[in-house]
Amino acid sequence: MITVIGASDFAAPARVPGDRGSALQYRLKYDPAAEAVHEAMPPGPSEALTLALAAACNNPIGATQPYGEDDGVIRMLITDHAFAVLLIGDVLKTVTVLQINYLG
């Protein structure tokens, strides 16, 4: 479960189910509009997106796909019911959720 730290600044769990136990390396942040979409999603799709975002915090490039040209900065995360656009910040070690589309 993701715990609220600030208005739109979250910390993902220390370990992700199914992962080999590595600690998260990137901090998860939300654009306020994306956060509102995630909070409004039904429990099942929301949980799947939360777990996918936690995986992206462990391995931003491996857990995501390029969004347009593969620059390693703007990435997309796709689950069965959602599509998210992410900004990967290597300097500050952040994954910022810029947009979430709930596909229903």
Side-chain angles (χ1 to χ4, degrees), residues 23-40:
L24 294 175
Q25 297 177 2
Y26 284 71
R27 188 171 43 125
L28 183 63
K29 298 178 73 174
Y30 275 85
D31 173 87
E35 181 179 12
V37 172
H38 194 174
E39 288 179 356

Side-chain angles (χ1 to χ4, degrees), residues 14 20 24 29 38 41 47 65 84 86 93 95 99 102:
R20 294 198 174 136
L24 294 175
K29 298 178 73 174
H38 194 174
M41 290 172 60
E47 181 179 354
Q65 299 174 22
L86 310 176
K93 299 290 187 195
V95 172
Q99 176 181 345
Y102 174 58

